[in-house]
Amino acid sequence: MSWQTYVDEHLMCDIDGQAGLRLSASAILGHDGVVWAQSSSFPQFKPDEINGILTDFNEPGHLAPTGLFLGGTKYMVIQGEPGAVIRGKKGSGGITIKKTGQALVFGLYEEPVTPGQCNMVVERLADYLIDQGL
């Protein structure tokens, strides 16, 4: 299966079987910041934004004072799982990023998608990749 298929069928899929209820954007990036696959709506990001995210996985709390930036958009960092999951909030939307052995799985959402639904979609795929040694 191609990486793009993971994005299209497992991240940008209908949530809970509800037609049209989907993440607003998603991507899978290697730890080096190289895009493996992304949705057409995923923001154009800067390498230093990915470096900040990677630093926060290695030093939990690194992004909390400044916020998490992706594509120039600032997200307030909210509870996650140190070293494993970073979650951010901006208005009625937000972001979930889960780290696997080789990749970062990103999901962005807007209402009516809830934070919990975004977390479920992103973390389910990331957990599968971890189980596959990726």
Side-chain angles (χ1 to χ4, degrees), residues 3 29 38 43-44 60 63 65 78 90-91 111 114-115 121 129-130 133:
W3 289 111
L29 278 67
Q38 65 183 13
Q44 182 63 47
L63 292 174
I78 56 175
K90 179 180 181 359
E111 282 186 336
T114 66
V121 169
L129 296 177
I130 289 167

Side-chain angles (χ1 to χ4, degrees), residues 59-131:
E59 302 168 24
H62 169 77
L63 292 174
T66 59
L68 182 161
F69 286 86
L70 186 69
T73 300
K74 180 179 180 179
Y75 296 87
M76 178 179 66
V77 178
I78 56 175
Q79 119 292 339
E81 297 167 31
V85 180
I86 298 171
R87 298 185 181 105
K89 186 93 173 111
K90 179 180 181 359
S92 62
I95 185 169
T96 301
I97 309 164
K98 180 149 183 172
K99 183 179 180 186
T100 73
Q102 299 177 24
L104 301 175
V105 180
F106 287 77
L108 285 75
Y109 67 93
E110 295 292 338
E111 282 186 336
V113 174
T114 66
Q117 288 170 320
C118 181
N119 296 343
M120 177 196 66
V121 169
V122 170
E123 294 177 37
R124 183 173 51 203
L125 177 60
D127 288 342
Y128 171 78
L129 296 177
I130 289 167
D131 289 346

Side-chain angles (χ1 to χ4, degrees), residues 30-77:
H31 288 181
D32 56 2
V34 172
V35 175
W36 292 4
Q38 65 183 13
S39 64
S40 59
S41 52
F42 194 73
Q44 182 63 47
F45 59 86
K46 298 176 184 78
D48 61 324
E49 293 173 332
I50 301 303
N51 290 337
I53 291 166
L54 285 166
T55 299
D56 196 82
F57 278 115
N58 295 325
E59 302 168 24
H62 169 77
L63 292 174
T66 59
L68 182 161
F69 286 86
L70 186 69
T73 300
K74 180 179 180 179
Y75 296 87
M76 178 179 66
V77 178

